[in-house]
Amino acid sequence: MTDAEPTHGPTDAPDVGTLSYEQARDELVRVVTRLEAGGEPLETSLALWERGEALAARCQEWLDGARERLAAAQSATSAEAATSDGEGR
């Protein structure tokens, strides 16, 4: 088991805000698998659902951050190219 994997239930798991994208994604897959399998008591299912929502939001935060970084890098590259083109004239 990994640190991000709940051993008994979602309350045993680390804080979602501390997880890397890969940790959050992997745990989300495990949560969904448990929910799809069924057989969990209602309280456990609700806790798993809430954990899954938090994990999905954490993954989205990472993806949004990556998109912003890529956009910034593309803008910087475009600005450098424009400056280089202007200097060569």
Side-chain angles (χ1 to χ4, degrees), residues 16-74:
V16 172
T18 65
L19 299 178
S20 69
Y21 171 78
E22 291 79 8
Q23 290 170 319
R25 181 201 58 213
D26 292 347
E27 186 180 342
L28 180 57
V29 168
R30 289 189 294 273
V31 166
V32 169
T33 300
R34 283 181 67 184
L35 287 169
E36 287 178 340
E40 298 285 353
L42 179 60
E43 283 299 316
T44 302
S45 293
L46 289 172
L48 284 167
W49 180 270
E50 290 169 346
R51 180 77 176 173
E53 288 288 329
L55 290 165
R58 180 66 173 154
C59 288
Q60 192 61 54
E61 288 173 7
W62 275 106
L63 292 172
D64 291 344
R67 250 185 231 108
E68 289 172 13
R69 289 175 61 190
L70 286 171
Q74 288 173 336

Side-chain angles (χ1 to χ4, degrees), residues 79-89:
E80 288 175 12
T83 302
S84 296
D85 289 346
E87 289 177 357
R89 291 183 183 181

